[in-house]
Amino acid sequence: MTEVRNIINGCLNGDRSSQELLYRRNVARMYGVCLQYAGNEEEANDILQEGFIKIFENLPSYRFEGSFEGWMRRIMVNTALEKYREKHNLYRVDDIDKLNEIEAEIEVGEYTGLEAEDLLNMIQALPPQYKIVFNLFAIEGYSHKEIGKMLGISPSTSKSNLSRARDILKRKVLRFTGIRRVING
Amino acid sequence: MVNRKENIDLVFRNGLKDFEAVPPVDVWENIKPAIKKKAIPTYIWKVAASLTILLSLGVFSYRLGMNSAIRFFETERASVAPTVSETSFTPPALAVVNNRVAPAASTTTNMTANIGNFQSPILPEDLREPEIIGPSRIIISTPAINHDKSPENKLFQGNRRTYSIEEMNGMLLDMEENNITGDREKARRWSIAALASPTYLPGTGVRNGQPMLAMNERQAISYAGGVSFAYGINDRISVQSGLYYSSVGQQISGISAYSGFDPYNMSKSSSTFQVATQSGTITTSNPDIYLLDMMGDRVIGDYSAENFDPVKSDLSMIGTSLHQNFRYLELPLIVRYKLIEGNLDFNIIGGISSNILIGNSVFLNNSGVRYDVGSTYGLRNHVVSSTLGMGMEYSISKSISLNVEPIVRYYITPANNSSGEGISPFNLGLFSGISYKF
């Protein structure tokens, strides 16, 4: 923690090596976050770049309360949201009952063979509106009310987008594991 | 159903929890110039803005002073000119020897005699156009200041009065003395003053302050004092500097402090506890002190109420509040503009100060016994503040004055380096003291 403090203080004093150190230490993890929200690598690079500029700009407001990584992650997510708002509008799905959900029971254990990159590819392939809601709800832990506020949609729209995202992901996972089972015999 | 939904969420959450990827190298190259530009501390702009305002105020004040002076001279000239032009002024038959007026000759026949340095512009109004009516009597015609001959304006109309030579000599002596005194007053450009003030921090005033922290923090007794010296650029504007000592602080309530913790303290870190405050995080350096937050979760450390009970361990409670104290040496650069001149002068005061941190302590008091706890982390060693105020100066004599100066101070740079927050950026003070002009 003291080391992180020293790096942050160095950055606050405009020390170039501290800035680079802060970037190098955290860039891989933050890039992982960006890739979850972006549609492709180019978009992820943009989010990463803008996000880190914001991190340096907002560093004086960091109060050393809570995890620094969590603080950086929130900035990255917010940057991704801004990018998203610039490009997309969420589809409104008001009637959740009409959704065609997959009824098959799936256990967590069935997915254990999946690599992080496989999961990332599945998320990235989601329609943008589903991807962002799924990320905010399932990965970041925001509530539908919070997501609604963030994206300017109603909580029910958020719920329906999440439900769609889950369905699509489950299909993909089943297909993936099915193929794997066939391959593995 | 619910579990199934949660399962798919968990799969992705757990699977991507520690996911890392290496971005292209050029991302950092693009970030670097952007943050280099942004890395210029904002306080530099603030200082520049303050200096510009001060400079503008100074120039404005100077021009105001000059304009007043020009208007004064123009009025004087206007009051003299018509009289001179309308009157065919014949130099009186006066000889001025060593500033003494005497008839140039024993008779009135030598009226065109030498006037020497006896020139009308330096004379009082009622000394113009003198007429010698005898060896020892002179008639002075008071010049008309304006052309308004209405009865209401009689005061400014011409008048005639007869002076004796002795009276004239007396008046000239007064003039001479006044000139000498005036020169002496002009020479008193330097002054030295000793001032002291209680200071007051109105509210928390902390940017982005947290209400929960603010609720339990209140200002402790703060004061400032020191010696200043000033140089008068002209009658109205002076520049002041000096050396002040100031002590500011606050009281953090709702924190239970116990002594006798040393035997139980197995903490490996240099600081056993950290306490979140609006002015920065307090870090403890006294291993014998155990801290517990009664109001929330401001105290962070290796030991908490869950894993250590101070009462069961027979620790002695020594207080329920902490005192944060910061001490500064202040080097001000102040510009004063004299707004009203008289026995009681009114000045506008504005400037900036360089504050050097010389003390940073956190302690608590128990029945007069002081326990050092630690210090506040991340305080800046150097803080720039701006000052704006009003100075009242009552002259006891020509050299000594009593001063009262209510001022507002604003910290341009935040006092705390690490959190971006600061001690209240506003600070009110009522300086009083004595000054000596020389």
Side-chain angles (χ1 to χ4, degrees):
Chain A
M1 188 64 185
T2 314
E3 199 181 358
V4 174
R5 271 183 190 275
N6 289 340
I7 295 171
I8 293 170
N9 286 335
C11 293
L12 288 168
N13 291 329
D15 176 41
R16 175 59 76 198
S17 58
S18 298
Q19 288 169 348
E20 188 160 356
L21 193 59
L22 187 140
Y23 174 81
R24 301 272 174 232
R25 284 199 173 187
N26 298 287
V27 69
R29 185 65 61 85
M30 292 304 117
Y31 193 51
V33 176
C34 297
L35 285 168
Q36 285 173 40
Y37 284 84
N40 52 52
E41 282 192 11
E42 196 185 339
E43 210 177 302
N45 294 347
D46 285 349
I47 297 170
L48 184 73
Q49 187 175 310
E50 279 187 33
F52 260 105
I53 290 170
K54 281 183 188 168
I55 285 170
F56 286 113
E57 279 178 349
N58 290 290
L59 214 48
S61 67
Y62 177 62
R63 292 180 59 83
F64 293 94
E65 289 165 3
S67 134
F68 181 60
E69 190 188 311
W71 182 81
M72 286 194 295
R73 189 183 176 100
R74 280 197 296 280
I75 289 180
M76 283 297 165
V77 170
N78 284 332
T79 310
L81 287 179
E82 280 169 22
K83 284 272 174 199
Y84 173 81
R85 284 192 209 105
E86 286 170 13
K87 288 186 178 175
H88 308 286
N89 286 314
L90 287 184
Y91 297 134
R92 284 184 66 85
V93 183
D94 296 323
D95 192 353
I96 304 171
D97 297 335
K98 288 178 186 171
L99 291 173
N100 181 22
E101 295 185 353
I102 296 169
E103 295 301 327
E105 291 294 322
I106 301 165
E107 296 300 324
V108 177
E110 289 187 53
Y111 307 133
T112 47
L114 290 166
E115 298 291 331
E117 278 185 24
D118 300 327
L119 296 171
L120 183 71
N121 289 335
M122 288 178 195
I123 286 185
Q124 278 193 334
L126 282 172
Q129 68 276 14
Y130 299 160
K131 177 168 57 190
I132 201 135
V133 172
F134 182 80
N135 272 324
L136 291 173
F137 186 92
I139 312 289
E140 309 298 337
Y142 288 106
S143 69
H144 286 298
K145 201 175 169 184
E146 288 169 323
I147 295 168
K149 276 185 185 171
M150 285 175 180
L151 301 175
I153 57 171
S154 67
S156 64
T157 306
S158 172
K159 279 180 193 171
S160 63
N161 278 292
L162 176 71
S163 188
R164 291 272 190 193
R166 279 172 173 162
D167 285 346
I168 295 168
L169 290 173
K170 273 182 277 186
R171 283 177 208 274
K172 284 176 185 273
V173 166
L174 282 173
R175 198 178 304 135
F176 191 92
T177 48
I179 291 166
R180 182 167 282 184
R181 278 195 199 108
V182 171
I183 292 168
N184 295 338
Chain B
M1 190 74 154
V2 172
N3 282 341
R4 183 167 57 81
K5 284 178 181 175
E6 285 177 352
N7 283 346
I8 192 88
D9 291 358
L10 276 176
V11 168
F12 279 85
R13 190 182 302 160
N14 293 338
L16 294 170
K17 192 173 63 182
D18 298 319
F19 178 63
E20 294 184 355
V22 181
V25 183
D26 61 351
V27 175
W28 174 241
E29 294 306 316
N30 293 333
I31 293 170
K32 247 195 325 190
I35 58 168
K36 191 178 182 183
K37 204 167 68 182
K38 300 286 180 188
I40 296 171
T42 51
Y43 75 85
I44 288 179
W45 298 112
K46 289 177 183 172
V47 170
S50 305
L51 282 174
T52 309
I53 291 167
L54 275 174
L55 203 64
S56 308
L57 274 173
V59 169
F60 174 73
S61 306
Y62 180 72
R63 286 181 67 87
L64 199 73
M66 285 297 287
N67 287 342
S68 306
I70 288 165
R71 275 201 299 278
F72 173 78
F73 284 119
E74 279 175 349
T75 312
E76 286 292 293
R77 200 182 301 154
S79 69
V80 173
T83 314
V84 173
S85 61
E86 284 169 11
T87 314
S88 56
F89 180 76
T90 307
L94 295 172
V96 178
V97 180
N98 296 331
N99 284 331
R100 294 287 194 278
V101 180
S106 55
T107 65
T108 57
T109 53
N110 290 329
M111 287 187 66
T112 55
N114 174 27
I115 189 164
N117 59 355
F118 192 84
Q119 292 169 351
S120 61
I122 60 160
L123 287 172
E125 285 172 0
D126 57 355
L127 272 178
R128 299 200 180 101
E129 298 182 65
E131 294 170 30
I132 307 297
I133 55 167
S136 61
R137 304 300 289 173
I138 299 172
I139 294 174
I140 299 286
S141 296
T142 308
I145 288 174
N146 59 26
H147 300 285
D148 187 357
K149 304 294 181 192
S150 61
E152 308 86 73
N153 205 21
K154 216 166 188 174
L155 184 65
F156 300 107
Q157 287 179 19
N159 202 358
R160 284 168 73 85
R161 189 180 158 189
T162 304
Y163 290 87
S164 68
I165 292 294
E166 287 72 26
E167 281 177 310
M168 284 290 290
N169 279 335
M171 287 167 74
L172 281 168
L173 274 173
D174 286 347
M175 283 168 62
E176 185 186 359
E177 234 168 63
N178 282 339
N179 281 338
I180 293 164
T181 315
D183 288 341
R184 271 186 200 148
E185 275 172 359
K186 271 180 194 169
R188 280 201 189 95
R189 286 185 177 277
W190 288 94
S191 69
I192 188 162
L195 297 163
S197 163
T199 53
Y200 173 68
L201 287 75
T204 63
V206 176
R207 290 156 283 187
N208 306 323
Q210 294 188 5
M212 193 188 77
L213 297 181
M215 262 169 51
N216 296 300
E217 294 176 11
R218 64 187 173 87
Q219 191 218 350
I221 295 167
S222 302
Y223 55 90
V227 180
S228 72
F229 58 89
Y231 176 75
I233 296 169
N234 57 35
D235 287 347
R236 288 194 180 271
I237 299 169
S238 61
V239 179
Q240 179 188 319
S241 188
L243 192 65
Y244 289 88
Y245 170 85
S246 66
S247 169
V248 293
Q250 58 180 1
Q251 190 177 335
I252 320 295
S253 57
I255 307 273
S256 295
Y258 298 84
S259 71
F261 183 54
D262 207 9
Y264 305 96
N265 192 351
M266 306 300 284
S267 178
K268 297 281 187 296
S269 56
S270 56
S271 167
T272 314
F273 297 100
Q274 289 92 47
V275 185
T277 77
Q278 290 196 111
S279 309
T281 305
I282 294 171
T283 54
T284 60
S285 56
N286 186 343
D288 198 46
I289 301 288
Y290 175 86
L291 298 178
L292 189 64
D293 186 4
M294 299 180 292
M295 315 290 284
D297 53 358
R298 290 169 294 169
V299 176
I300 303 162
D302 299 335
Y303 296 87
S304 66
E306 282 81 39
N307 58 25
F308 183 80
D309 189 335
V311 179
K312 280 185 184 169
S313 306
D314 280 339
L315 300 194
S316 313
M317 191 167 186
I318 50 172
T320 55
S321 61
L322 301 176
H323 296 270
Q324 255 177 321
N325 181 257
F326 316 113
R327 294 178 298 283
Y328 291 94
L329 264 188
E330 183 186 341
L331 298 160
L333 181 63
I334 305 285
V335 177
R336 293 166 160 271
Y337 176 71
K338 194 175 282 180
L339 208 61
I340 300 170
E341 195 169 0
N343 262 354
L344 184 63
D345 293 344
F346 282 87
N347 301 296
I348 292 176
I349 301 166
I352 55 168
S353 299
S354 181
N355 302 272
I356 299 156
L357 183 72
I358 54 166
N360 167 17
S361 59
V362 177
F363 60 93
L364 55 89
N365 269 321
N366 182 24
S367 309
V369 179
R370 176 180 160 134
Y371 292 83
D372 286 321
V373 175
S375 59
T376 305
Y377 180 82
L379 287 182
R380 283 175 189 268
N381 287 328
H382 177 236
V383 181
V384 179
S385 64
S386 61
T387 301
L388 191 66
M390 169 72 86
M392 285 166 280
E393 191 176 342
Y394 178 74
S395 302
I396 299 171
S397 71
K398 283 179 179 172
S399 300
I400 298 169
S401 309
L402 292 176
N403 300 57
V404 178
E405 297 175 356
I407 62 139
V408 181
R409 185 174 294 144
Y410 178 79
Y411 286 94
I412 298 167
T413 45
N416 197 307
N417 209 7
S418 63
S419 63
E421 308 296 346
I423 310 158
S424 173
F426 285 105
N427 179 330
L428 300 178
L430 183 67
F431 282 86
S432 56
I434 193 161
S435 69
Y436 176 74
K437 290 194 187 81
F438 57 96

